[in-house]
Amino acid sequence: MARHGAGTPFLLQLSLLLLLRPGGEWGPSWTLGCASVAVGSPIVPVGSAVTASCTIRSELCRGLEKGRVRITWMLDNEPMAGSQRRGLGGTEVSNLTLPQFNRTQAKLWCWVEWNGTKQRVGMAEIRAGYPPAKPFNLSCVLNLSDYGLTCQWEQGASSHLPTSVALKSHPSCCRRSRAQVVTGCTPQGDHSRCTVPRRLLQLYRQMEIWVSAANALGTAESEHLFIDPMDVAKLDPPALQSIQSIPFQTDCIALAWEVARSNAHMELQCELRYRASEDPAWALVTDIVGQAGTTQHCGFLFGTQYHFQMRCRRSSARGYWSEWSPGRNYTTHEKAPTGKLDAWWSAQPAGAGGRLEVQLRWKAPRRQEANGRVLGYRVTLSPRRRGRAPPAVCNTTHTQCNFSAPAGTSRVYLSAYNAAGESAATEVVLLERKGQPLARLWAVPGGERSLWVHWEAPLVPVAAYILEWQRVTSEPSRCSACWQMERQGTATTALLQDGIEPFQRYNISVYPLYKDAVGVPAHTAAYSKQKAPSYAPKLHLKSLSKSDAELCWDPVPVEMQNGFITSYTIFWANSTAEVSSAAVNPSLSSFVIRELKPSTLYKVHIMASTAAGGTNGTSLTLVTMVLDDIEIQFLFLTLGLIFVLFILLLICFQKNGRVKQQFWPSVPDPANSSLGKWVPPFLQEHLQVPSTREPGLATISTVTVLEKATRGKEPAAEPAGTFLAVPQPYVRQEAAGAPGRGWAAAEPHRDPGGSGETVQYARVVGDGYKGQQRSPPRLRLRSSSSSSSSQPLLPDASPSPEPYQNLWFHWAAPHGRPGDGGCPEEPPATFPLLQGLRISGAEELHDCRTF
């Protein structure tokens, strides 16, 4: 607490000094009364060493009498390490050395650290820079309005130090001394010019003038300028008085002027410049004596407006020219046009009228030949004779004319006229275009708005060349092509500039002109400048299959191509980002992408390219098919053929008996056969069979088993020779030993219970066929009952055929073979009638087969 209290007065004193300091800013060096900071040099060259010391007197700083004081350094905000020692009289001294000072300006602070508290007690400002650069390009001008000498110069590189610049002078005739050197002027601010007043100048005498620059590190002077102030005087411009043509009908003019009053006592040298409104550059006339006041000059064009200006300077010195005088315009007088006109034509027969349709085009005369403003052009079919003008077929202000001439016309005459007269007629010979063409023709850009055309001359001498060029458009152009004539027959190049624009295509034709014919034209196309197309064509899907896609597009309009299309590039990619591409000839407008994957989505786009770049089009999305059209057609065709064949087979099976018989053999139906309906005539009245009286077929398709309860009784024996004695459970045929009988019998069958009930089966007995020698056929129905009876169903007919007459019968024993267990034989499979019989209840015949 005691130490803390002891240091408080010192801190209060320091705070009051900081607050009471005027302006709140630090000077180049600042210290408290008990501290001092000293540097070896406050301004040093950049990169040199800097030394500094800080001395603390403890007895002068209250609160620092006791305890040890620690001194530290700060360069701006960067701490620096110094060496501290105790000096004489109880002082504390700290020394600091900066081996290389690379800053242009910095503040070096001395800090005191006592009892854990740090405070700044002194500061020194250090600046570093370079010696001043040498001024150069010193020049001076004397203004005659106030006779002040204004000089200007260039300062050079900055020294990073305060530098004083002054324009100094003294008379060059005398030996320089400090007393004679005069500071003429000092520039204001950062300007590099100042004006020496008239009172410090000596006119018409040589003076030495220079610029001096000085700072803390040195002094530099510019080159010394030895001039007479009047030699660098800038005179006032003269005033043009009048301009006129002299004499009349010549190309000369006379010009008069007046010099400024301030220059009246001087010998002047003047210059005249002029130009026409179409000329980009001035024409200059030199060595004009200013005091003369008039001059003449020739070589002007007739009927042309010119702009004139004049300036002067002292003739005894090569000083500054005056400003150019205010301009004055003058138009020279006109005369009749001269020279020949460049003409080009096309002629074709007008039809059955025997006339010739001619289109004549020509170039306006050059300015040096027009001799004024051309008022019009006249075309005639014959030349002027004895001052008489022939009738004109065209009298126009344009540079082309369409007219009809008699067949056989080979020459027309063209002339131009202005206010002063008419030119001599230019003879235009209408030659046939059948001459030899150029050997080769090509064109290259000459700039953004020009084209150089080159060709190889034919072997035949050429008198001149006609060059035609026209901008190519998508729609037919009605405007005539631009053209020009090259009069030199030996020329092989020409520059086209009229109407040439960048990014547009031009068709160029060159016609060689021979003495007696016009050559067949050669053609080429060119661009003065190319770039990427404005847009790419839009893709359209023309056809699509599972592996191919045919694309088509409309070509880019020629106005939007911006250059020659070198290629179209087709890009396509599937969902897995497999990108493929193909280059297409620019003459094509369709492309087939092959080897695509079936049922796959693809994105396709096209890029149109020129020599200067390419442009991408919009993307087209397509999905390939699962099957090709041919495969789909083949599938539908196959299904259709199968369906048609099926229908045809079905119809054949239904309509064709032979085919039906092969798959479904026709089995005779005894019940509906003619045999079932046939009854001899002598039995029809006795039997009264309904089927013989009613139309239609009998519908007997099966033989029904009849059952009758006959318990305890045995079936009565049937008389021999009338019916079979024992019923058989199968259909049989009568053997050969029993002639005249073919029958089927059913054998009695007892029930499983052994009751002795006899089940009687129906049987069909056939005794023979009509016309046979044996007993007539009979159909009997037999039942096993107490009073067994047999009623013939069919009366006797004609005798049955002999065995050799009926191949369907194979006779068997009537009661079976011995030892077969009472089962009948299997009926013959080839007998249709027996195969059609079915016996109900045959399933009860356990020991025999049924059918």
Side-chain angles (χ1 to χ4, degrees):
M1 293 295 293
R3 291 182 179 181
H4 180 72
T8 300
F10 170 72
L11 296 177
L12 290 175
Q13 179 183 3
L14 182 60
S15 299
L16 290 174
L17 288 174
L18 293 174
L19 292 174
L20 295 177
R21 182 173 182 81
E25 297 179 357
W26 303 104
S29 73
W30 166 86
T31 57
L32 291 176
C34 60
S36 62
V37 177
V39 294
S41 175
I43 300 176
V44 296
V46 175
S48 61
V50 175
T51 59
S53 64
C54 182
T55 303
I56 303 297
R57 297 182 180 180
S58 300
E59 68 275 8
L60 298 180
C61 295
R62 297 183 59 186
L64 298 180
E65 298 90 349
K66 300 179 180 179
R68 180 164 179 81
V69 176
R70 183 184 175 190
I71 302 173
T72 59
W73 295 89
M74 295 281 288
L75 184 62
D76 288 338
N77 295 323
E78 182 181 356
M80 296 291 171
S83 61
Q84 183 175 344
R85 60 182 177 82
R86 182 174 294 275
L88 300 176
T91 60
E92 292 289 334
V93 179
S94 177
N95 296 322
L96 174 66
T97 300
L98 301 176
Q100 191 173 10
F101 189 77
N102 293 323
R103 307 183 186 187
T104 58
Q105 185 176 1
K107 293 180 179 179
L108 184 62
W109 296 90
C110 177
W111 292 70
V112 174
E113 183 177 352
W114 178 81
N115 200 17
T117 302
K118 293 181 66 176
Q119 184 61 50
R120 293 180 293 187
V121 296
M123 183 272 292
E125 186 173 1
I126 305 173
R127 303 192 65 165
Y130 302 96
K134 179 180 180 180
F136 58 97
N137 286 344
L138 174 62
S139 61
C140 300
V141 176
L142 181 66
N143 190 353
L144 294 181
S145 60
D146 59 357
Y147 286 91
L149 184 66
T150 301
C151 298
Q152 62 181 8
W153 62 90
E154 295 183 32
Q155 186 60 46
S158 174
S159 64
H160 303 292
L161 295 175
T163 303
S164 62
V165 180
L167 182 65
K168 298 184 177 183
S169 65
H170 75 77
S172 60
C173 61
C174 305
R175 186 177 177 181
R176 184 191 303 182
S177 64
R178 291 188 178 182
Q180 294 174 335
V181 174
V182 177
T183 300
C185 60
T186 302
Q188 301 294 324
D190 295 332
H191 297 287
S192 297
R193 60 182 301 172
C194 66
T195 301
V196 180
R198 172 67 181 84
R199 58 182 177 84
L200 300 178
L201 297 177
Q202 295 182 4
L203 301 180
Y204 300 102
R205 295 181 61 183
Q206 289 286 334
M207 295 187 64
E208 184 179 1
I209 302 173
W210 70 96
V211 178
S212 176
N215 62 17
L217 298 180
T219 302
E221 294 182 354
S222 67
E223 296 291 339
H224 289 219
L225 187 63
F226 298 90
I227 59 172
D228 178 357
M230 290 303 296
D231 291 342
V232 295
K234 189 170 185 179
L235 307 182
D236 294 331
L240 295 177
Q241 298 295 322
S242 64
I243 304 173
Q244 61 182 358
S245 298
I246 55 166
F248 189 74
Q249 287 293 327
T250 66
D251 59 349
C252 299
I253 64 165
L255 185 142
W257 70 91
E258 182 181 1
V259 298
R261 292 182 180 181
S262 59
N263 309 333
H265 61 284
M266 301 180 185
E267 294 181 0
L268 302 178
Q269 178 185 1
C270 299
E271 290 180 345
L272 175 69
R273 69 176 184 179
Y274 62 91
R275 68 175 178 180
S277 57
E278 299 87 357
D279 294 336
W282 293 87
L284 189 64
V285 181
T286 61
D287 297 332
I288 299 175
V289 179
Q291 284 75 15
T294 61
T295 186
Q296 294 184 5
H297 186 66
C298 299
F300 295 95
L301 300 177
F302 293 97
T304 305
Q305 185 182 52
Y306 290 93
H307 186 73
F308 295 88
Q309 287 182 313
M310 197 174 200
R311 66 178 182 178
C312 299
R313 70 176 179 182
R314 286 184 65 193
S315 58
S316 59
R318 297 300 178 183
Y320 298 100
W321 289 98
S322 68
E323 298 294 337
W324 288 102
S325 67
R328 189 179 181 92
N329 294 328
Y330 179 73
T331 302
T332 58
H333 64 272
E334 295 183 352
K335 77 172 185 177
T338 58
K340 291 186 177 182
L341 299 176
D342 293 339
W344 179 233
W345 72 93
S346 62
Q348 57 185 357
R355 305 287 292 179
L356 189 67
E357 291 294 332
V358 180
Q359 182 188 41
L360 183 64
R361 293 178 289 170
W362 58 88
K363 292 292 184 180
R366 288 180 287 271
R367 191 176 58 181
Q368 58 269 26
E369 297 176 349
N371 297 330
R373 187 172 67 90
V374 175
L375 299 179
Y377 302 91
R378 185 176 289 109
V379 180
T380 62
L381 300 181
S382 61
R384 179 182 300 179
R385 295 176 180 175
R386 297 180 181 180
R388 295 182 180 180
V393 295
C394 280
N395 191 351
T396 179
T397 58
H398 302 290
T399 56
Q400 68 176 16
C401 175
N402 297 332
F403 59 92
S404 178
T409 301
S410 60
R411 287 175 172 81
V412 295
Y413 299 89
L414 173 66
S415 60
Y417 59 89
N418 60 14
E422 185 174 354
S423 67
T426 300
E427 184 183 43
V428 180
V429 183
L430 306 180
L431 301 174
E432 295 183 9
R433 298 183 179 182
K434 61 180 181 180
Q436 185 177 352
L438 297 176
R440 184 187 173 199
L441 176 66
W442 70 98
V444 295
E448 287 193 2
R449 299 186 180 275
S450 62
L451 287 169
W452 277 107
V453 182
H454 302 264
W455 63 86
E456 292 182 6
L459 300 178
V460 182
V462 179
Y465 294 94
I466 294 291
L467 291 90
E468 279 187 347
W469 64 96
Q470 188 172 20
R471 179 176 170 180
V472 182
T473 58
S474 299
E475 299 180 356
S477 177
R478 297 181 180 178
C479 61
S480 60
C482 298
W483 66 280
Q484 72 182 39
M485 176 181 286
E486 290 295 325
R487 292 184 175 273
Q488 295 294 330
T490 58
T492 56
T493 61
L495 181 64
L496 308 183
Q497 294 178 304
D498 187 12
I500 303 297
E501 296 181 2
F503 317 123
Q504 298 298 324
R505 184 187 301 180
Y506 292 89
N507 286 337
I508 304 171
S509 302
V510 178
Y511 299 79
L513 301 182
Y514 301 101
K515 183 179 179 180
D516 55 354
V518 177
V520 177
H523 307 282
T524 188
Y527 282 87
S528 62
K529 187 177 182 180
Q530 300 187 55
K531 67 177 181 179
S534 299
Y535 64 87
K538 184 178 180 180
L539 287 175
H540 302 280
L541 183 61
K542 190 174 182 180
S543 64
L544 182 65
S545 64
K546 72 174 184 179
S547 61
D548 298 336
E550 185 176 3
L551 306 173
C552 62
W553 59 89
D554 295 328
V556 180
V558 67
E559 298 91 344
M560 301 299 176
Q561 291 181 8
N562 301 329
F564 292 108
I565 299 295
T566 56
S567 67
Y568 291 110
T569 306
I570 309 295
F571 298 89
W572 64 93
N574 56 18
S575 57
T576 59
E578 296 180 2
V579 181
S580 302
S581 64
V584 183
N585 191 292
S587 62
L588 302 178
S589 60
S590 63
F591 179 73
V592 179
I593 304 177
R594 304 188 184 277
E595 298 182 358
L596 299 178
K597 298 179 180 179
S599 186
T600 304
L601 184 143
Y602 287 89
K603 289 187 176 181
V604 187
H605 74 273
I606 187 172
M607 181 179 70
S609 302
T610 65
T615 302
N616 289 322
T618 57
S619 179
L620 174 66
T621 302
L622 56 90
V623 179
T624 54
M625 303 175 66
V626 179
L627 297 175
D628 286 335
D629 292 340
I630 298 178
E631 295 176 345
I632 294 175
Q633 294 175 4
F634 180 77
L635 178 62
F636 278 102
L637 182 61
T638 303
L639 293 177
L641 290 176
I642 293 173
F643 180 74
V644 170
L645 290 176
F646 177 76
I647 296 298
L648 291 177
L649 289 176
L650 186 61
I651 293 174
C652 291
F653 291 156
Q654 293 294 331
K655 300 297 182 180
N656 194 335
R658 182 177 296 178
V659 176
K660 185 177 179 181
Q661 183 67 27
Q662 292 296 329
F663 290 93
W664 297 285
S666 178
V667 179
D669 188 357
N672 294 324
S673 65
S674 61
L675 179 62
K677 295 182 291 181
W678 179 76
V679 178
F682 63 91
L683 292 179
Q684 291 181 0
E685 296 179 358
H686 300 283
L687 295 177
Q688 298 294 325
V689 180
S691 61
T692 61
R693 296 189 299 267
E694 297 178 2
L697 298 176
T699 57
I700 301 174
S701 60
T702 60
V703 178
T704 305
V705 177
L706 303 177
E707 297 183 2
K708 183 178 181 182
T710 56
R711 298 186 180 185
K713 295 182 180 181
E714 293 292 329
E718 195 174 274
T722 305
F723 295 99
L724 294 176
V726 181
Q728 297 296 327
Y730 205 79
V731 178
R732 295 182 56 88
Q733 293 180 346
E734 190 174 359
R741 296 196 176 186
W743 46 269
E747 193 173 3
H749 176 72
R750 301 194 180 269
D751 60 352
S755 59
E757 182 180 0
T758 301
V759 179
Q760 182 63 50
Y761 297 92
R763 64 179 179 177
V764 177
V765 179
D767 292 336
Y769 288 96
K770 183 178 179 179
Q772 293 178 342
Q773 300 298 327
R774 307 195 184 248
S775 59
R778 300 183 179 187
L779 183 63
R780 301 176 184 273
L781 180 64
R782 178 176 178 169
S783 62
S784 179
S785 61
S786 57
S787 59
S788 298
S789 63
S790 297
Q791 183 180 356
L793 297 179
L794 296 176
D796 291 339
S798 62
S800 298
E802 291 299 330
Y804 65 86
Q805 294 177 338
N806 192 349
L807 299 179
W808 289 98
F809 287 94
H810 300 277
W811 307 106
H815 300 287
R817 291 189 184 98
D820 59 359
C823 292
E825 266 183 345
E826 184 178 4
T830 59
F831 188 36
L833 180 61
L834 295 183
Q835 288 182 354
L837 296 178
R838 296 293 183 268
I839 302 176
S840 296
E843 64 271 4
E844 297 181 4
L845 303 177
H846 303 291
D847 298 329
C848 300
R849 292 177 296 172
T850 62
F851 69 98

